[in-house]
Amino acid sequence: MSARPSVGWIGTGRMGYEMAARLAKGGADVLAWNRTRAKAEPLAQYGAKVADRLSELAGCDIVFCMVAAWRDVKQVMGELLEGKRQPRLVIECSSISLEGSAELRQLLAARGIDYLAAPVSGNAKVIKAGKLSFVCSGPRQSFDEALPLLKMIAPAASYVGEGELARIVKICHNVFLGVVIQSLAEITVLAQKAGVPRHAFLEFLNQSVMGSMFTRYKTPAFVNLDFKVTFTPELLRKDMDLGLDAGRRLEVPMPLASAARDLVQAMMGRGMKEEDFAALLLQQAQASGIALQPENVEVKDGLS
Ligand SMILES: NC(=O)c1ccc[n+]([C@@H]2O[C@H](COP(=O)([O-])OP(=O)(O)OC[C@H]3O[C@@H](n4cnc5c(N)ncnc54)[C@H](OP(=O)(O)O)[C@@H]3O)[C@@H](O)[C@H]2O)c1
């Protein structure tokens, strides 16, 4: 692999855009493609090129992919590999199932293409703040080759082993995310109904042993009720379903995850599809018989 490999980037949605932007800003030779071209175009300001057709990326040394679900990964990979040219290594970052990932590995191996499964933890703001983390699996050699690029995007990249192991790590992580956000909504509403302002309650929680980077960066949304999407309820439901499927297969009971999954489903059924998943707080307040108002208090998100 040359010192400055050419990098293809598929998918510049909320996550993919910020990840590709960090690569381009870091000096990588990036050629990006997105189904909706306009979302990729601003990457040109950081020196990235924008492709008209996905097949143009097949000539790159390394191709990253960050789309939505397995069906979308399958579709874009099919289009990428339509012609004769092919990359040397594919790094797939979307949150997908173990089975989908294994099918992709087979498809790529049949063409002699190396493959690293590399899902991530963190939202677009976390990427911008330089705090994203990768969890990777596949051949150790592919991880070592990819590492300089991964480090341009995120300070943390963990290698957890061969095959699709990174997928189950990411699925477990997002099951935890779903349970934690619902639990955070429940206790915040409980404290408020007892008379504690949300900003005061969360300020304490964030400094306690139970506070985390996650509870801190969700605090502005909970306090001031700004639910502009960082991660959609639909994508969270996908991940909770992947976790519950894995639990069924491996015979692991997951009562908390089941309940949290259905609360995300209920939120979607109420039409809250275009809001951030943290709007679970509003559903919880409604179920508790209180109407929340923005507190209009400036609170830190711990990222900037
Ligand atoms: N948001 C988060 O906080 C977060 C955190 C960690 C992991 N993830 C995971 O990261 C992935 C991307 O999430 P996101 O929040 O960036 O989602 P998003 O903003 O909805 O972006 C999805 C991207 O996938 C593309 N896409 C979807 N279906 C496609 C298809 N069939 N063919 C071609 N392109 C397709 C979209 O293209 P268009 O622009 O044309 O629609 C867009 O670029 C998901 O797997 C998600 O679970 C998200």
Side-chain angles (χ1 to χ4, degrees):
M1 181 113 30
S2 72
R4 189 169 181 262
S6 54
V7 179
W9 192 283
I10 303 173
T12 58
R14 282 180 203 93
M15 298 294 287
Y17 180 86
E18 296 299 342
M19 292 167 79
R22 284 188 72 91
L23 267 187
K25 285 182 200 168
D29 174 15
V30 178
L31 176 63
W33 176 87
N34 195 53
R35 181 176 58 182
T36 310
R37 194 184 195 280
K39 289 193 204 168
E41 279 163 3
L43 286 172
Q45 67 191 300
Y46 308 121
K49 291 168 280 217
V50 178
D52 290 319
R53 286 178 313 280
L54 176 47
S55 57
E56 291 172 44
L57 275 59
C60 296
D61 296 319
I62 299 177
V63 172
F64 280 84
C65 178
M66 187 53 153
V67 288
W70 162 235
R71 63 174 183 276
D72 310 309
V73 173
K74 195 170 181 176
Q75 189 178 331
V76 295
M77 284 296 151
E79 284 175 41
L80 177 76
L81 301 174
E82 260 167 17
K84 288 207 176 86
R85 292 184 308 168
Q86 62 181 46
R88 199 180 117 40
L89 170 65
V90 166
I91 304 175
E92 208 304 304
C93 306
S94 322
S95 304
I96 61 170
S97 63
L98 288 141
E99 294 75 16
S101 192
E103 194 178 323
L104 179 59
R105 191 173 297 283
Q106 257 184 359
L107 188 140
L108 295 172
R111 301 192 52 153
I113 302 171
D114 290 336
Y115 167 48
L116 192 67
V120 298
S121 167
N123 65 24
K125 209 169 170 191
V126 172
I127 302 170
K128 266 190 175 163
K131 294 187 172 163
L132 189 74
S133 36
F134 281 102
V135 55
C136 304
S137 63
R140 176 80 212 197
Q141 192 195 352
S142 300
F143 175 71
D144 292 340
E145 284 172 1
L147 199 54
L149 293 172
L150 301 182
K151 288 279 183 177
M152 281 187 201
I153 303 171
S158 309
Y159 177 74
V160 292
E162 295 287 329
E164 316 324 317
L165 291 178
R167 301 299 181 181
I168 193 66
V169 174
K170 170 62 188 172
I171 289 167
C172 290
H173 172 284
N174 269 29
V175 165
F176 189 44
L177 176 76
V179 169
V180 168
I181 190 72
Q182 174 59 26
S183 180
L184 194 64
E186 290 174 19
I187 59 172
T188 303
V189 167
L190 178 63
Q192 165 149 18
K193 211 170 172 189
V196 186
R198 297 189 299 281
H199 70 272
F201 172 67
L202 291 167
E203 182 190 303
F204 161 72
L205 190 86
N206 286 337
Q207 294 180 77
S208 77
V209 295
M210 298 308 293
S212 67
M213 191 194 304
F214 177 69
T215 65
R216 281 186 282 278
Y217 76 62
K218 278 300 172 203
T219 291
F222 267 36
V223 170
N224 295 321
L225 309 186
D226 172 4
F227 294 114
K228 182 170 170 288
V229 176
T230 66
F231 186 46
T232 60
E234 190 174 356
L235 288 176
L236 178 58
R237 182 188 59 177
K238 162 190 64 100
D239 294 343
M240 302 292 286
D241 281 340
L242 290 174
L244 292 169
D245 283 350
R248 273 187 281 278
R249 220 167 356 87
L250 297 170
E251 303 211 20
V252 175
M254 301 180 74
L256 296 181
S258 298
R261 184 265 177 213
D262 277 353
L263 287 158
V264 176
Q265 181 68 67
M267 174 187 187
M268 293 172 64
R270 289 197 165 93
M272 298 160 82
K273 289 185 181 165
E274 301 307 320
E275 290 172 84
D276 192 58
F277 70 110
L280 275 167
L281 178 76
L282 301 180
Q283 174 169 270
Q284 181 64 31
Q286 207 177 40
S288 311
I290 58 172
L292 301 186
Q293 301 300 329
E295 290 183 344
N296 299 322
V297 174
E298 204 176 313
V299 282
K300 292 200 164 49
D301 63 7
L303 292 176
S304 39

